[in-house]
Amino acid sequence: MPQNTSQDTSLERSYLIFFHFLMMSKHRVIELGKEYDLTAMQAMTLFLLEEHRAMHELKTIFNCDASNITGLVDGLEAKGLATRYEDPNDRRIKLIRLSKKGDKVRASLLSRAVRESQLLANLDEDEQRQLINLLAKATDGHDKMTPER
Amino acid sequence: MPQNTSQDTSLERSYLIFFHFLMMSKHRVIELGKEYDLTAMQAMTLFLLEEHRAMHELKTIFNCDASNITGLVDGLEAKGLATRYEDPNDRRIKLIRLSKKGDKVRASLLSRAVRESQLLANLDEDEQRQLINLLAKATDGHDKMTPER
DNA sequence: TGAGATAATTGTATTATTCAATTATTGACA
DNA sequence: TGTCAATAATTGAATAATACAATTATCTCA
């Protein structure tokens, strides 16, 4: 068995713990998405489409090439989950919104993600609330994804 | 601007906040890794290799096919950052450990990740500690990555 | 008006990930 | 002891994800 002989500082150790958490979460979303015949990006995009969003917003959030978003939205449209439409204020921009079917799939996916992810299962209700509040505060202002606005 | 007309429950909203946080973190690691000419997986693997680890452990943590780990470790060896060696107790198993150079790169990467990530910049010291403690508790027992053991 | 920036798309190239088959080793147990 | 199922790692081929380059349309603003 490995012995801990590390020189990492406490903050660095914290970072590693956080990173661990991050990777596990990703796995859970991917596995859940598969059940709905969605790629990881498609599943995550449903999460993001509580409201309509411009394609370039998705590009920023996913930190990827714009062409990937074209393909991503093509896929969602092909499945009848979302539709594109022009931004009336700027005809360069296309906005995406979920269809009725997309809304349903999103609701089901999100509900199951929350119930089954077990990510917070080790925490009592109060701790869960604390954690989420801290994450929300930490996240605030970092990019345009903030679902509160 | 999108108006919030959501039906999401508070727990679901929390999940989305968490997810937001998760994606941003991933981007930061990827960008940092690039500066060191490392792929995302290579950078994350350095994080994991505080101690030696068996290849199949990495497979579990990354939730990927075993063949990816072969390629991953090939890459790290080619760069002189890590070495394979046989587990003396089970000759099927290969253990990976960082070289001296690998240790140095890991330390630099981790230190910069912590200092520059700005992930926790919105929180004061006390809140940071709280957050990390909650994440550690939430994470505990979820798989074999826990760096404390 | 017109130069420069942004948004989206297409086709292509590159990279990442999975799949199937193979070899070696281990552990269980009849 | 010998056999069989399970595990670990590897290889090569197939598939999927992501990035790059070039193009069109639109917007901003000096």
Side-chain angles (χ1 to χ4, degrees):
Chain A
M1 284 291 155
Q3 294 303 303
N4 186 345
T5 58
S6 158
Q7 305 297 104
D8 295 344
T9 68
S10 141
L11 240 182
E12 287 169 354
R13 183 154 302 281
S14 301
Y15 186 89
L16 294 175
I17 290 170
F18 170 72
F19 211 78
H20 179 196
F21 202 78
L22 184 159
M23 284 197 285
M24 290 192 321
S25 315
K26 182 87 182 293
H27 301 163
R28 296 260 153 74
V29 171
I30 290 172
E31 293 308 315
L32 193 53
K34 278 181 187 163
E35 290 187 42
Y36 291 75
D37 195 32
L38 298 169
T39 66
M41 264 184 98
Q42 287 173 339
M44 294 192 277
T45 302
L46 289 193
F47 284 169
L48 299 175
L49 287 177
E50 176 184 349
E51 316 292 339
H52 65 265
R53 276 183 193 280
M55 295 184 71
H56 67 270
E57 287 185 277
L58 297 177
K59 165 177 138 54
T60 300
I61 292 168
F62 287 123
N63 201 33
C64 69
D65 190 82
S67 58
N68 296 322
I69 305 300
T70 299
L72 171 71
V73 176
D74 285 350
L76 291 175
E77 280 196 325
K79 289 177 182 175
L81 299 174
T83 53
R84 286 169 165 89
Y85 60 103
E86 237 179 36
D87 184 335
N89 301 123
D90 185 340
R91 285 184 301 163
R92 292 173 301 182
I93 294 173
K94 286 185 186 155
L95 301 172
I96 316 301
R97 79 174 143 218
L98 294 185
S99 64
K100 282 230 170 69
K101 183 179 171 191
D103 270 330
K104 277 183 194 151
V105 173
R106 177 181 185 276
S108 167
L109 191 66
L110 186 52
S111 156
R112 287 195 54 195
V114 171
R115 270 189 290 112
E116 298 170 25
S117 75
Q118 297 296 309
L119 279 178
L120 305 182
N122 287 343
L123 305 180
D124 64 38
E125 262 190 52
D126 203 52
E127 288 170 326
Q128 288 186 23
R129 204 169 10 250
Q130 272 183 272
L131 173 59
I132 292 302
N133 286 338
L134 288 168
L135 287 177
K137 184 171 180 186
T139 304
D140 192 46
H142 277 187
D143 68 26
K144 298 185 171 145
M145 183 187 162
T146 44
E148 294 78 7
R149 303 222 174 124
Chain B
M1 285 290 157
Q3 294 304 304
N4 186 345
T5 58
S6 157
Q7 305 297 104
D8 296 344
T9 69
S10 140
L11 240 181
E12 287 169 354
R13 183 154 302 280
S14 301
Y15 186 89
L16 294 175
I17 290 170
F18 170 72
F19 211 77
H20 179 196
F21 199 79
L22 184 159
M23 284 198 285
M24 290 192 322
S25 317
K26 181 86 182 294
H27 301 163
R28 296 261 154 72
V29 171
I30 290 172
E31 293 308 315
L32 192 53
K34 278 181 188 164
E35 290 188 44
Y36 291 75
D37 196 32
L38 298 168
T39 66
M41 262 182 99
Q42 287 173 338
M44 293 191 276
T45 301
L46 287 192
F47 285 168
L48 299 175
L49 286 177
E50 175 183 350
E51 316 291 339
H52 65 264
R53 276 182 192 281
M55 296 183 72
H56 68 269
E57 288 184 276
L58 298 177
K59 165 177 138 52
T60 301
I61 292 167
F62 287 123
N63 201 33
C64 69
D65 190 82
S67 58
N68 295 324
I69 306 301
T70 299
L72 171 71
V73 175
D74 286 350
L76 291 175
E77 280 196 325
K79 289 176 181 177
L81 300 173
T83 53
R84 287 170 165 88
Y85 61 103
E86 235 179 37
D87 184 336
N89 300 123
D90 186 339
R91 287 185 298 163
R92 291 172 302 182
I93 295 174
K94 285 183 186 155
L95 300 172
I96 316 301
R97 80 174 142 219
L98 293 185
S99 65
K100 281 230 171 68
K101 181 179 171 192
D103 269 330
K104 277 184 195 151
V105 173
R106 177 181 185 275
S108 167
L109 191 66
L110 187 51
S111 155
R112 288 195 54 196
V114 170
R115 270 189 290 113
E116 299 171 23
S117 75
Q118 296 297 309
L119 279 178
L120 305 182
N122 288 342
L123 305 180
D124 64 39
E125 261 190 52
D126 202 53
E127 289 169 327
Q128 287 185 22
R129 206 171 8 253
Q130 271 183 274
L131 173 59
I132 293 301
N133 285 339
L134 288 168
L135 287 177
K137 184 170 180 188
T139 303
D140 192 47
H142 279 186
D143 68 26
K144 297 185 171 145
M145 181 186 162
T146 45
E148 294 77 7
R149 303 219 176 123

